[in-house]
Amino acid sequence: MSGVEVDAWQIPILVTAAVVLLEAGFNLLLRVRGSGPPSQRVRTIGFGLLVVLTVIIFVAALGPDRADQLSSVAAAVTAVVALWLTYRSYNSFTKSNTTEEQSGGTAAPGPENPGESEHG
């Protein structure tokens, strides 16, 4: 065998070329068959496969040590985002409860409540 090696910087170029070739092949196939674009499910599965392929290639290009460090950083960022979303959710929940208590739990009569009238 000739022992062809692929450097890490070449991987994104090769993946992009593969995606472009696959897309061109699918477009040609759809034109020949005369049908429209594939269904939502097929597109979602295809996108998921591309994401998995990209992640696998990315981790392989990084190597196990760098991938481990990157996953630790990603976990820390995810924890901070989850904490922020939890805080926002808690604030919106307490604001909605405070608003209900101040209005007495009933809505004011008007166009929003057509069953109630001002002539009462």
Side-chain angles (χ1 to χ4, degrees):
M1 303 248 59
S2 62
V4 177
E5 289 186 28
V6 177
D7 291 331
W9 67 269
Q10 295 171 328
I11 292 174
I13 296 170
L14 294 174
V15 170
T16 303
V19 168
V20 168
L21 289 175
L22 284 172
E23 181 183 2
F26 276 117
N27 284 337
L28 182 64
L29 181 68
L30 290 174
R31 279 193 206 135
V32 169
R33 287 185 43 205
S35 61
S39 70
Q40 181 88 15
R41 174 176 272 172
V42 172
R43 288 184 289 181
T44 303
I45 291 171
F47 181 68
L49 289 174
L50 285 175
V51 168
V52 167
L53 177 68
T54 304
V55 168
I56 289 171
I57 290 173
F58 182 70
V59 169
L62 286 177
D65 293 335
R66 290 242 174 147
D68 185 39
Q69 292 171 355
L70 184 64
S71 67
S72 298
V73 171
V77 170
T78 303
V80 169
V81 170
L83 178 65
W84 179 69
L85 290 174
T86 304
Y87 175 74
R88 295 261 325 226
S89 176
Y90 174 76
N91 276 347
S92 67
F93 177 73
T94 56
K95 283 181 183 178
S96 67
N97 283 345
T98 304
T99 305
E100 281 183 15
E101 288 174 6
Q102 288 176 353
S103 67
T106 60
E112 296 86 23
N113 298 325
E116 299 178 12
S117 66
E118 295 178 12
H119 300 296

